[in-house]
Amino acid sequence: MPRVIYIHPNGERDEVEVANGQSLMLAATANDLNGIVGDCGGVMSCATCHVIVDDAFTALLPPPVDTEHQMLDYTAAPREAGSRLSCQIVMTDALDGIAVRIADPQL
């Protein structure tokens, strides 16, 4: 099963197996990871699942849709080049080993 590495603001890392087709937000909340809130459940209305994707993986992701771009403008933490909403990153075998830094703060 593919894995994702969540990097917490303090540098700690959690490696989680994520089923193909599951979002990184759902995987984080299902594994009780601190930092990814996902208040809206993945419908892009809260931006509490903001992550910064490692440069090595950004090109493997589909581009964000307009709604995601708009929500990223309202995140609590400043937007960065690799900023994405983890509810919009769907796991595939090609993303095995993806590293995402959890934005701080989310709220």
Side-chain angles (χ1 to χ4, degrees):
M1 189 176 300
R3 300 164 291 106
V4 61
I5 300 165
Y6 296 93
I7 304 167
H8 297 272
N10 66 2
E12 290 183 30
R13 296 170 172 247
D14 282 305
E15 188 170 318
V16 176
E17 290 185 343
V18 181
N20 282 322
Q22 185 177 41
S23 76
L24 300 192
M25 183 273 296
L26 286 176
T29 57
N31 284 279
D32 295 323
L33 296 185
N34 288 328
I36 294 183
V37 181
D39 275 341
C40 73
V43 297
M44 291 189 288
S45 65
C46 72
T48 61
C49 65
H50 178 200
V51 296
I52 298 87
V53 177
D54 184 87
D55 291 340
F57 289 90
T58 55
L60 297 176
L61 299 175
V65 297
D66 288 342
T67 305
E68 183 178 0
H69 269 299
Q70 292 169 359
M71 288 308 301
L72 286 167
D73 287 337
Y74 297 101
T75 58
R79 185 176 185 168
E80 297 182 31
S83 285
R84 295 295 301 265
L85 300 180
S86 61
C87 66
Q88 298 303 298
I89 303 173
V90 177
M91 182 54 84
T92 65
D93 286 332
L95 296 177
D96 185 28
I98 187 173
V100 296
R101 184 168 36 94
I102 300 170
D104 183 35
Q106 291 287 0
L107 300 172

